[in-house]
Amino acid sequence: MNSLFKALNDPTRRSILELLREQPRTAGEIAEHFQFSKPTISHHLDLLRQADLVSSDKQGQFVTYTLNMTVMDELLGWLLQFKS
Amino acid sequence: MNSLFKALNDPTRRSILELLREQPRTAGEIAEHFQFSKPTISHHLDLLRQADLVSSDKQGQFVTYTLNMTVMDELLGWLLQFKS
DNA sequence: TAGTCATTTAGACAAATATCTAAATACCCT
DNA sequence: AGGGTATTTAGATATTTGTCTAAATGACTA
């Protein structure tokens, strides 16, 4: 739960999740959408992976990142505890 | 949205929310549940208030904190955007 | 009015975080 | 093998964060 909230506590990382909502993308494609350096984006992707919010798959030189919804469901459960 | 995720990104603050889920409590009652100093808890309560996750009401010397669900609903909406 | 209690404010400090540049790694192609 | 491309790792730095103690504020009570 800690790594999840930590990962979500950054606007760039939340934007990345919204990008991946549409479709999987490579690290480079993701980086193109932001003004930060590639190492910075790589670091954000690492935190998202640590939180299990995304998974990564290496194909040749490219690394494709995919949104992983299962952890979001956990957050949803935590939230719903307040709705009663 | 920033202040919301920021507020949620701390286990103590999330515990405070869970405490308040049961019933409103004064700052002192909340502080009793933790090992941190009262100023530290006061600071956490301040961040929760900034995120509009709680509201505070001063009655005499006591300040009662109450959970505020409306912002949680906003988070819920953000989450549900991924479920489709 | 003085003393006490509840809470917050102020200021300090160590740890965590977001960012960068430079370098390393890994893969592809000729 | 060598050069180019994609990505990550390493290391540095400024900012933010969580915590503390000491002091201030505000309210009750004798």
Side-chain angles (χ1 to χ4, degrees), chain A residues 28-81:
Chain A
E29 284 167 351
I30 294 167
E32 276 174 11
H33 286 81
F34 302 93
Q35 294 188 317
F36 300 116
S37 70
K38 283 179 185 175
T40 293
I41 298 299
S42 184
H43 177 236
H44 284 310
L45 289 169
D46 189 40
L47 291 175
L48 289 171
R49 196 149 27 84
Q50 279 176 43
D52 216 29
L53 281 163
V54 304
S55 59
S56 63
D57 178 41
K58 182 159 195 169
Q59 295 149 349
Q61 350 173 17
F62 297 88
V63 178
T64 298
Y65 284 84
T66 308
L67 190 60
N68 180 4
M69 279 306 299
T70 42
V71 166
M72 292 274 199
D73 285 340
E74 204 180 318
L75 174 55
L76 204 64
W78 183 83
L79 261 187
L80 291 177
Q81 130 191 68

Side-chain angles (χ1 to χ4, degrees), chain A residues 79-84, chain B residues 21-22 69:
Chain A
L79 261 187
L80 291 177
Q81 130 191 68
F82 293 96
K83 305 283 288 181
S84 51
Chain B
R21 188 173 72 92
E22 304 161 12
M69 278 307 297

Side-chain angles (χ1 to χ4, degrees), chain B residues 15-31:
Chain B
S15 293
I16 291 174
L17 292 178
E18 287 168 18
L19 263 181
L20 294 180
R21 188 173 72 92
E22 304 161 12
Q23 63 195 281
R25 296 184 200 261
T26 67
E29 286 168 350
I30 294 168

Side-chain angles (χ1 to χ4, degrees), chain B residues 2 4 7 10 13-14 41-42 46 48 54 57 77:
Chain B
N2 256 323
L4 172 58
D10 181 276
R13 289 195 289 272
R14 292 197 299 274
I41 298 299
S42 185
D46 189 39
L48 289 171
V54 305
D57 177 41

